[in-house]
Amino acid sequence: MQVVGVQGSQVRLGVVAPAGFCILRAELRPRATEPLTEGARQALARKLKMLMFINRHSTQSLAAAAGLAPARVLAAESGVGQLMLGDLEKIARVLGVKVMDLFLSPGRSATERVILALLEGCR
């Protein structure tokens, strides 16, 4: 493997092999990934709404800060549409969390617990 290009935070890797090797293009195709389950989408939507509230971000302001189109943030925020890992990485970076934290239930931090308690009191 060797680095064949760098663009921003993305690195393109190339396969280097002795001349006697024959690498078929089909062998290099990326594998299809499984789409997110409905439960994972809903967990993401709930957590993202909570983090946006805590960080005082609207859909538009989060999109601008992450360098994404508002429709991409809305897809994650609503739990529908196509979600790309790169988009989630940018969103997580702006919100100061890891991508995996976006899928954890709200209420793990003290701030989140206070907000949940206030929301429960309003019902």
Side-chain angles (χ1 to χ4, degrees), residues 32-53:
T33 58
E34 294 292 321
L36 289 176
T37 64
E38 184 64 26
R41 285 178 175 274
Q42 294 309 313
L44 171 64
R46 283 191 302 275
K47 184 67 169 213
L48 185 55
K49 287 176 188 172
M50 174 71 69
L51 292 171
M52 288 171 65
F53 180 80

Side-chain angles (χ1 to χ4, degrees), residues 56-123:
R56 298 181 177 158
H57 274 294
S58 66
T59 302
Q60 291 76 19
S61 69
L62 179 57
L68 299 170
R72 307 300 265 167
V73 173
L74 189 58
E77 185 184 354
S78 64
V80 297
Q82 186 176 14
L83 301 172
M84 307 298 276
L85 179 58
D87 296 346
L88 295 177
E89 289 172 336
K90 291 176 183 177
I91 289 169
R93 193 173 306 119
V94 169
L95 295 173
V97 298
K98 297 175 184 171
V99 172
M100 69 177 217
D101 295 336
L102 294 175
F103 293 93
L104 299 175
S105 299
R108 292 186 170 262
S109 73
T111 303
E112 290 177 5
R113 287 191 294 278
V114 168
I115 292 169
L116 289 174
L118 289 172
L119 291 173
E120 286 296 320
C122 293
R123 291 184 182 177

